[in-house]
């Protein structure tokens, strides 16, 4: 299998200069190609782009030779992917989203997709046309054959994402529990049907005061000045720190779920619709529900788990997990009290109902659960 390990680099000044030149050369070549093929008379094709690159662009800009030739050559592949996605969206009738020009200091990156152009030696990385080895913060996590490396720059830091063809992946299939239901929320990031509560993941909220201070400081600096560049760097570092803190919590939770359970039932949340709530939009975005679902799904695929996406209209919070009766509750109601005598936290109740959803190939008949405060036969009369 192909797995990527993203490692922070610790380059010297001369090495950082080379990495910046590579990012700039790739960005410049990409923009030159896009400008040419944005004209009505020039129809995009990968072959035509290569000919234009060889005959026009590369001779016109000899400073491309200061970095690896594959840095600028691979810009053709990147633009080809952008046009493929554009044409796909056009065919589906969605918003086309024509490829955009690259901007400096925004998603700066370049790739070396040929094994001969780079080499990983312990905690050091060799790339073509750079005489010295770049120190890495840690060793490559996987043992196998490195296939390609993608270099990126973010908040003044440099990273190398090494794609490795490996079979070195830990097996978690033994000693796993059969199933778990997970209810995502704002008050608590997640509550499992085993009554495990993961606290809220509001990393942005905790740093909001400092974020506002740095944003105001940046707005007062004169454009083009050194002080503005310093303020911009400070703000970018804080944004990076918040993002990394959020990812750390989400990675930890997704790892725990996929390592300990064979089946994970989660709700198919409409996150785009949820953030339209002006009161909860920031908290919902800060929690990172969409990213958490992605992490759970790809780790479950690697570890042989099953992710059960429960229909978003399934009344997991309104249905009593004891008898199946439906109740009218609001977001302010933190507990569900049923006529059957059960009083339970609403998030735990939802997690239990999610865990039971289609368990053992049984599915509730939701059509019979429309009227509130009536016994939901779907919870007691299961149909195959």
């Amino acid at each position: 299998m192909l797995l990527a390990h993203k490692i922070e680099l610790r380059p010297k000044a001369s090495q950082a200069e080379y990495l910046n030149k590579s990012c700039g050369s790739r960005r410049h070549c990409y923009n030159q190609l896009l400008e040419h093929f944005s004209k009505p008379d020039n129809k995009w094709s990968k072959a035509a782009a290569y000919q234009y690159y060889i005959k026009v662009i590369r001779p016109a800009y000899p400073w491309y030779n200061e970095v690896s030739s594959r840095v600028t050559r691979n810009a053709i592949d990147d633009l080809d992917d952008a046009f493929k996605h554009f044409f796909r969206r056009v065919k589906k009738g969605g918003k086309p989203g024509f490829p955009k020009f690259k901007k400096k200091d925004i998603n700066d990156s370049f790739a070396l997709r040929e094994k001969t152009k780079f080499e990983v030696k312990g905690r050091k990385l060799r790339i073509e046309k750079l005489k010295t080895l770049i120190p890495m913060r840690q060793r490559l996590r996987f043992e196998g054959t490195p296939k390609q490396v993608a270099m990126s720059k973010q908040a003044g830091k440099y990273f190398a994402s090494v794609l490795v063809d490996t079979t070195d992946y830990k097996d978690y299939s033994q000693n796993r529990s059969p199933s778990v239901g997970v209810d995502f929320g704002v008050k608590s990031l997640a509550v499992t049907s085993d009554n495990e509560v993961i606290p809220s993941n509001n990393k942005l909220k905790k740093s909001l005061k400092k974020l506002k201070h740095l944003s105001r400081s940046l707005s007062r600096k004169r454009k083009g000045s050194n002080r503005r560049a310093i303020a911009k760097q400070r703000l970018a570092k804080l944004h990076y720190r918040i993002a990394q803190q959020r990812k750390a919590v989400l990675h930890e939770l997704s790892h725990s779920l996929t390592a300990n359970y064979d089946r994970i039932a989660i709700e198919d949340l409409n996150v785009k619709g949820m953030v339209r709530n002006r009161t909860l939009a920031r908290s919902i975005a800060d929690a990172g529900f969409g990213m958490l679902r992605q992490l759970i799904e790809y780790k479950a695929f690697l570890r042989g788990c099953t992710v059960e996406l429960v229909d978003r209209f399934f009344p997991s919070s309104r249905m009593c997990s004891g008898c199946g009766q439906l109740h009218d509750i609001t977001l302010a109601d933190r507990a569900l009290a049923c006529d059957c005598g059960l009083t339970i936290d609403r998030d735990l109740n939802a997690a239990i109902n999610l865990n039971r959803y289609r368990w053992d190939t049984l599915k509730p008949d939701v059509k019979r659960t429309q009227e509130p405060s009536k016994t939901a036969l779907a919870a007691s009369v299961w149909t195959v």
Side-chain angles (χ1 to χ4, degrees):
M1 68 178 71
L2 295 175
L3 296 175
H5 184 194
K6 188 174 183 179
I7 308 172
E8 184 182 346
L9 302 177
R10 299 292 176 83
K12 299 177 182 178
S14 59
Q15 296 171 337
E17 182 181 359
Y18 178 86
L19 295 176
N20 289 332
K21 283 184 179 179
S22 298
C23 290
S25 299
R26 181 256 182 180
R27 180 178 62 249
H28 184 270
C29 183
Y30 183 97
N31 290 341
Q32 290 295 314
L33 289 167
L34 181 56
E35 181 182 9
H36 176 72
F37 287 99
S38 296
K39 298 177 182 177
D41 297 336
N42 301 325
K43 185 178 179 180
W44 168 262
S45 72
K46 199 171 180 180
Y50 182 72
Q51 292 300 319
Y52 184 75
Y53 166 75
I54 291 295
K55 296 179 180 179
V56 179
I57 297 180
R58 195 160 184 89
Y61 303 101
W63 45 270
Y64 281 6
N65 295 323
E66 297 178 7
V67 298
S68 172
S69 61
R70 305 307 297 184
V71 169
T72 51
R73 168 62 183 83
N74 288 335
I76 300 175
D77 298 329
D78 299 334
L79 186 57
D80 184 57
D81 289 338
F83 271 111
K84 284 180 179 178
H85 291 305
F86 166 71
F87 294 135
R88 174 180 53 81
R89 290 190 291 266
V90 170
K91 289 181 180 179
K92 288 186 175 181
K95 188 176 180 181
F98 192 80
K100 297 181 179 180
F101 291 97
K102 300 292 184 182
K103 295 182 179 180
K104 186 178 180 180
D105 295 332
I106 299 179
N107 297 327
D108 278 343
S109 64
F110 68 94
L112 297 174
R113 302 189 176 100
E114 297 74 23
K115 293 188 292 184
T116 58
K117 304 298 181 181
F118 73 98
E119 184 180 2
V120 178
K121 298 180 178 180
R123 289 184 57 183
K124 293 189 177 181
L125 175 67
R126 177 193 68 82
I127 58 178
E128 189 179 39
K129 285 200 174 181
L130 184 60
K131 297 180 180 179
T132 56
L133 302 180
I134 306 176
M136 301 192 299
R137 185 171 183 176
Q138 56 184 299
R139 290 179 177 271
L140 192 61
R141 182 182 302 144
F142 309 112
E143 293 184 1
T145 305
K147 292 292 186 180
Q148 65 181 45
V149 61
M151 317 289 289
S152 58
K153 182 182 178 182
Q154 186 179 2
K157 299 178 181 290
Y158 299 88
F159 300 90
S161 181
V162 184
L163 186 67
V164 184
D165 187 2
T166 180
T167 57
D168 180 23
Y169 198 76
K170 187 176 180 180
D171 184 16
Y172 293 91
S173 59
Q174 298 180 355
N175 301 324
R176 285 198 303 213
S177 300
S179 178
V180 69
V182 187
D183 180 66
F184 299 149
V186 175
K187 184 180 179 182
S188 301
L189 176 60
V191 177
T192 70
S193 55
D194 295 337
N195 200 15
E196 181 183 358
V197 180
I198 292 84
S200 59
N201 186 27
N202 298 326
K203 302 303 180 184
L204 175 62
K205 183 178 179 180
K206 294 178 181 179
S207 302
L208 199 58
K209 185 176 181 180
K210 187 174 182 180
L211 193 65
K212 289 180 179 179
H213 173 74
L214 292 180
S215 297
R216 293 191 184 112
S217 176
L218 175 64
S219 66
R220 290 193 293 265
K221 301 296 187 293
R222 181 168 55 85
K223 291 186 177 181
S225 65
N226 290 334
R227 289 189 176 184
R228 183 178 177 86
I230 295 173
K232 183 179 179 181
Q233 185 82 321
R234 288 176 179 172
L235 182 61
K237 285 184 176 181
L238 180 57
H239 275 295
Y240 171 78
R241 184 170 180 266
I242 294 171
Q244 292 303 108
Q245 288 176 330
R246 182 185 298 113
K247 286 181 181 179
V249 174
L250 299 182
H251 272 294
E252 184 178 352
L253 175 56
S254 58
H255 166 75
S256 176
L257 293 174
T258 54
N260 295 318
Y261 298 97
D262 287 324
R263 173 183 175 270
I264 305 165
I266 60 176
E267 192 173 0
D268 183 18
L269 296 175
N270 179 18
V271 180
K272 288 185 178 180
M274 293 170 65
V275 295
R276 293 173 185 168
N277 186 327
R278 297 176 61 184
T279 305
L280 299 175
R282 178 183 292 165
S283 298
I284 293 171
D286 196 10
F289 295 143
M291 180 181 294
L292 179 56
R293 173 177 165 176
Q294 292 178 356
L295 296 178
I296 291 174
E297 287 180 335
Y298 95 77
K299 291 181 182 180
F301 174 78
L302 293 175
R303 297 171 179 177
C305 305
T306 301
V307 178
E308 183 77 57
L309 291 179
V310 179
D311 188 274
R312 63 184 59 168
F313 298 108
F314 179 71
S316 58
S317 298
R318 297 170 51 222
M319 181 187 295
C320 174
S321 58
C323 67
Q325 183 175 337
L326 292 182
H327 298 266
D328 285 329
I329 60 175
T330 64
L331 289 175
D333 300 323
R334 302 312 308 169
L336 185 143
C338 184
D339 299 337
C340 68
L342 176 66
T343 301
I344 187 172
D345 180 81
R346 63 172 291 159
D347 295 334
L348 176 59
N349 178 72
I352 294 173
N353 287 327
L354 292 174
N355 188 34
R356 292 175 179 173
Y357 183 82
R358 284 201 305 205
W359 183 235
D360 293 335
T361 69
L362 298 178
K363 182 178 180 181
D365 185 2
V366 182
K367 294 181 180 178
R368 304 177 67 178
T369 64
Q370 299 300 319
E371 299 183 18
S373 300
K374 296 290 183 67
T375 300
L377 296 180
S380 55
V381 182
W382 299 83
T383 58
V384 179

